[in-house]
Amino acid sequence: MDDLATLSGWISSMSATFNNLLLERGIAPEEVALLRHHTSARGASAASIADLWRDNPEGFILYQETQEKNRPILRKRRLWASFISPARGETLFVGLFDAKYLKTGVADWACPYRGDQPGEGKPVNRFSTSLRGELSEQIGKLRVDWPVSNVRTWKRKAEGLSLPVVPSSPVRKAALPIHDAALVDALEGTGLGSNVLWFGPEGQSFESCS
């Protein structure tokens, strides 16, 4: 699947799920943790996590890499598939990452979203994540149907949650989210620079920066 047109055609088969996409890229769902980054609380530096991803990609990565201690799924899964919620009921793919646990300790940095100390002085887990090439052409385009019954469960094992792929909806122009050189190359190759996203709030809850 090299572009969105091909993806849209495949979706019409009524059988496409995110796990199908992983398997087509040679990735076992059992290796992947699904993360849906969203909180109903307005941040200090952005109105939503989607805005943070769009306007401050480095801050978004730090937000993602800072997690509470009691989340073994994140330590056991070497790949993270990350999603955000740009509007109520939407779940947008923002990258497949290699994830590596680094250390547990008291954070000496401010949460890039809330502006406070992650963990409120208690030890947190710090990870290192690196964007992978697989599915990079679908960053900011691919939407999945995250079940309403699981909307408050923001981290899941991929093999335990079927995420049907849905066609991408029209988007408005906004700032281009850039994570690293690999993502720049991928976006240039797909022409995403002229067809970017506008984000709005959602009213459900989430998680990170511990």
Side-chain angles (χ1 to χ4, degrees):
M1 270 174 222
D2 295 326
D3 54 33
L4 191 58
T6 303
L7 177 63
S8 298
W10 191 58
I11 290 170
S12 65
S13 69
M14 305 291 288
S15 63
T17 67
F18 186 73
N19 282 349
N20 293 148
L21 295 177
L22 292 175
L23 290 168
E24 288 219 341
R25 301 304 176 99
I27 298 171
E30 291 79 8
E31 296 180 308
V32 180
L34 305 173
L35 283 69
R36 186 179 188 268
H37 297 289
H38 179 73
T39 177
S40 58
R42 185 181 180 92
S45 62
S48 68
I49 299 301
D51 287 339
L52 182 70
W53 173 77
R54 182 192 66 191
D55 298 331
N56 182 6
E58 290 184 359
F60 173 80
I61 293 299
L62 178 58
Y63 177 88
Q64 174 174 260
E65 293 177 343
T66 306
Q67 299 289 340
E68 288 183 0
K69 291 172 57 179
N70 60 345
R71 293 169 179 167
I73 180 177
L74 301 182
R75 291 187 65 167
K76 293 178 179 178
R77 297 285 165 125
R78 70 178 188 89
L79 300 177
W80 293 359
S82 294
F83 300 84
I84 58 174
S85 181
R88 181 178 294 276
E90 288 190 0
T91 301
L92 179 71
F93 176 68
V94 295
L96 183 67
F97 296 83
D98 285 310
K100 181 181 179 181
Y101 167 75
L102 296 179
K103 62 181 181 179
T104 298
V106 176
D108 58 1
W109 62 90
C111 174
Y113 183 66
R114 294 196 309 266
D116 58 3
Q117 182 185 25
E120 298 179 339
K122 299 178 181 178
V124 296
N125 283 348
R126 180 68 188 271
F127 293 82
S128 172
T129 61
S130 177
L131 186 70
R132 294 175 63 94
E134 294 93 340
L135 295 175
S136 60
E137 75 280 2
Q138 300 303 336
I139 291 171
K141 295 181 179 182
L142 176 67
R143 286 171 168 80
V144 298
D145 184 9
W146 194 284
V148 174
S149 60
N150 285 277
V151 74
R152 292 181 181 274
T153 307
W154 62 270
K155 57 187 186 305
R156 291 291 303 270
K157 297 176 180 178
E159 74 275 16
L161 187 64
S162 178
L163 296 177
V165 173
V166 298
S168 290
S169 57
V171 294
R172 298 183 184 179
K173 292 183 179 180
L176 180 64
I178 300 298
H179 296 285
D180 58 19
L183 178 55
V184 174
D185 293 340
L187 294 177
E188 288 178 347
T190 60
L192 182 58
S194 61
N195 192 29
V196 222
L197 297 170
W198 175 86
F199 297 103
E202 182 181 354
Q204 282 140 359
S205 61
F206 171 76
E207 47 99 15
S208 202
C209 258
S210 296

